[in-house]
Amino acid sequence: YGRDIGFYLFELPLYELLQDSMLAVSLIASILLLVGYFRDGSLTISWRQGPEAPPRVLWHILSNLVLFLVALAWGFYLDRFDILQSTRGAVNGAGYTDVNVLLPGILIAMGATVSMAVVYLFYKSMRGGPMVLLVSSGYLLIYFLSVTVVPAAVQSYIVEPNELELETPYLTHNI
């Protein structure tokens, strides 16, 4: 990635700490907001209409959710650098699956997360709950496939049978 060793030793751990903290704070705040608004009756959820609340309450909840999604997308951005320390495959470091499948999968998950944040920002213009529920389900499917299922399948069914051939450039670089 064109970064010196100082980035990986000093800056990356700091960025990961900040991202993890932002993720945790926004998640805890969102949960507390939901519980609080449920308890005082400002927020109700129905499967047909989706969440119903006064506009200020809905905006408060959605802005925290968008903050959570932005922190999650930032985490995907930082995950790109962790590929260099991967233990999947024959070598420690980036291997065939990491470079050719997992890295594009992380970028897809990052793009889907940012798109999801935009969907939540424009919640009212999407005519409520059913569309957001559909988009949220699609997001979870994209995330699960791009970061978990496809890399594992490629590693098991393509790389492991041809490991010497596919991993040789990465072994050479590692040595």
Side-chain angles (χ1 to χ4, degrees), residues 17-40:
L17 176 68
L18 291 173
Q19 184 268 335
D20 288 341
S21 299
M22 188 171 139
L23 196 66
V25 166
S26 62
L27 179 64
I28 291 169
S30 295
I31 291 170
L32 290 174
L33 277 175
L34 287 172
V35 169
Y37 285 135
F38 267 129
R39 293 193 88 203
D40 78 355

Side-chain angles (χ1 to χ4, degrees), residues 80-97:
R80 297 174 329 125
F81 300 108
D82 288 334
I83 287 178
L84 297 177
Q85 300 170 10
S86 173
T87 57
R88 176 196 326 246
V91 297
N92 283 340
Y96 179 85
T97 303

